Amino acid sequence: MKVQENQIECETLLDAGAVLEKLRRSSLYKQFHWLESVPSTQAVAKQIGEENAPHGTLVWAEYQTEGRGRRGRVWEAAKGENLIFSLLLRSSFRAEDLFWVTACLGLAVCYGLETVSGLAGMIKWPNDIFLEGKKVGGILTEARFDGSLTRYIVSGLGLNVNWNPQKDKEMPYPVTSVSREVRECIKREDLLGEILQGFERLFSFLECGNRRSIEEAWLSRFILLGKRVLVIGDGGEFECTVTGLRKDGALLIQRSNGTEEPVFAGDVSLRM
Ligand code: ATP
């Protein structure tokens, strides 16, 4: 480990065997693709979703050349320092319930962060993970439908673990990594294992119809409740107060004139 002023450098390749060992009792994770460099794990997972890869396939990469966030945005990551993966799930969800898959992965990341770093991960609706008030990760959930139900779902994570986000990178908000906050290198195998185990547990609740417990846990990590935010959409931007979350994952906001209305994840970005 090399420590410079405000910089911790700890690049190593992931020990996939250590992760597999941690998951040996899992009944979800059936197939693993450990890749060195790909354009996008999300694209690979969707491609194998079209073929016959099983439910619970993990596509993991050390490096992505075309990582994406929501609304076609770029996801940055450095080789050997972050966690980047996409999970293929062959579960049947209606479009209005898909938000809760993102919620399960977000909660699993928060719990994993807490176990490994001692710091509480928080969630900025709909898909961002925050640590100490700064963005540390993002989730992207996409799906292919047969009629009104998903044929498969791909839920992906980009998490800044041992990365030093460059100050000169244009980000619209403060960005951090786990190592930057705890001032030491994080064993990515431990964090990945924790996240995947946590997701398996939470997702099984969701599939058993126990969404209530996921909702309660998610709301306790929701950093926007009661806050003033700027909503940025294609039609312009406006300020409002966040009042809650609807069952379909839409954010409930109150305009300055007192009217309450939902905003949808596919349409807007938020600034705190
Ligand atoms: P927001 O609504 O906050 O603008 P988003 O949810 O639309 O974010 P994401 O899908 O989470 O966006 O990710 C894309 C955005 O995240 C990029 O536009 C960039 O600003 C930011 N970003 C890209 N790479 C990283 C990274 N490694 N860590 C933190 N933020 C990043």
Side-chain angles (χ1 to χ4, degrees), residues 244-257:
L245 183 77
R246 227 168 55 168
K247 301 277 176 223
D248 62 356
L251 187 74
L252 290 170
I253 53 125
Q254 190 173 45
R255 298 266 200 161
S256 312
N257 64 6

Side-chain angles (χ1 to χ4, degrees), residues 27-30 42 45-46 48-50 53-59 85-93 98 100-102 104-105 139-144 149-156 196 199-200 202-204 206-207:
S27 52
L28 173 62
Y29 304 108
K30 306 236 174 55
Q42 204 73 2
K46 285 195 277 185
I48 62 175
E50 293 295 329
H55 176 65
T57 296
L58 179 84
V59 179
F85 68 77
S86 298
L87 257 177
L88 173 69
L89 301 163
R90 292 200 183 275
S91 303
S92 289
F93 277 71
L98 262 185
W100 296 100
V101 179
T102 302
C104 285
L105 186 52
I139 293 167
L140 183 64
T141 299
E142 298 174 293
R144 170 82 187 262
L149 292 175
T150 52
R151 182 198 299 178
Y152 63 81
I153 302 165
V154 171
S155 199
L196 292 174
F199 179 78
E200 177 166 5
L202 293 157
F203 192 65
S204 73
L206 190 63
E207 286 209 301

Side-chain angles (χ1 to χ4, degrees), residues 212-224:
R212 193 66 195 274
S213 60
I214 307 288
E215 269 176 48
E216 280 169 14
W218 192 91
L219 285 170
S220 73
R221 300 273 169 171
F222 178 33
I223 38 174
L224 299 178

Side-chain angles (χ1 to χ4, degrees), residues 6-261:
N6 203 27
Q7 292 233 329
I8 299 163
E9 287 175 21
C10 24
E11 181 189 325
T12 51
L13 291 183
L14 188 93
D15 176 1
V19 183
L20 291 174
E21 175 58 25
K22 216 170 153 96
L23 298 176
R24 68 184 189 286
R25 293 212 174 84
S26 160
S27 52
L28 173 62
Y29 304 108
K30 306 236 174 55
Q31 205 178 87
F32 297 83
H33 297 252
W34 304 104
L35 306 170
E36 199 177 317
S37 173
V38 276
S40 144
T41 57
Q42 204 73 2
V44 173
K46 285 195 277 185
Q47 188 194 322
I48 62 175
E50 293 295 329
E51 296 156 12
N52 53 8
H55 176 65
T57 296
L58 179 84
V59 179
W60 184 89
E62 275 295 354
Y63 187 60
Q64 280 187 136
T65 52
E66 292 165 24
R68 280 183 306 110
R70 287 190 314 134
R71 308 173 86 207
R73 302 221 173 104
V74 172
W75 186 262
E76 311 265 353
K79 190 168 184 172
E81 298 178 355
N82 292 19
L83 289 181
I84 302 162
F85 68 77
S86 298
L87 257 177
L88 173 69
L89 301 163
R90 292 200 183 275
S91 303
S92 289
F93 277 71
R94 291 174 306 171
E96 60 269 33
D97 295 327
L98 262 185
F99 171 80
W100 296 100
V101 179
T102 302
C104 285
L105 186 52
L107 279 172
V109 174
C110 290
Y111 297 154
L113 286 173
E114 210 153 296
T115 304
V116 166
S117 75
L119 298 174
M122 300 296 284
I123 300 172
K124 171 176 165 272
W125 178 91
N127 67 327
D128 291 338
I129 310 296
F130 271 60
L131 201 59
E132 302 295 270
K134 288 157 262 177
K135 183 163 166 178
V136 72
I139 293 167
L140 183 64
T141 299
E142 298 174 293
R144 170 82 187 262
F145 286 84
D146 274 335
S148 60
L149 292 175
T150 52
R151 182 198 299 178
Y152 63 81
I153 302 165
V154 171
S155 199
L157 173 73
L159 186 67
N160 305 332
V161 183
N162 290 319
W163 188 46
N164 283 301
Q166 301 296 310
K167 286 209 182 71
D168 56 0
K169 279 264 184 288
E170 290 264 324
M171 303 276 185
Y173 28 63
V175 165
T176 195
S177 67
V178 190
S179 66
R180 178 171 280 187
E181 296 306 322
V182 297
R183 308 277 313 140
E184 62 184 39
C185 293
I186 302 294
K187 267 189 83 180
R188 290 184 303 157
E189 295 78 4
D190 292 347
L191 184 51
L192 179 57
E194 287 293 325
I195 292 171
L196 292 174
Q197 282 178 329
F199 179 78
E200 177 166 5
R201 188 169 44 84
L202 293 157
F203 192 65
S204 73
F205 284 163
L206 190 63
E207 286 209 301
C208 294
N210 193 356
R211 197 170 82 185
R212 193 66 195 274
S213 60
I214 307 288
E215 269 176 48
E216 280 169 14
W218 192 91
L219 285 170
S220 73
R221 300 273 169 171
F222 178 33
I223 38 174
L224 299 178
L225 199 59
K227 299 253 166 60
R228 290 291 289 172
V229 295
L230 182 67
V231 177
I232 307 169
D234 291 337
E237 49 186 64
F238 60 89
E239 264 193 48
C240 59
T241 303
V242 174
T243 53
L245 183 77
R246 227 168 55 168
K247 301 277 176 223
D248 62 356
L251 187 74
L252 290 170
I253 53 125
Q254 190 173 45
R255 298 266 200 161
S256 312
N257 64 6
T259 57
E260 198 171 71
E261 61 186 71

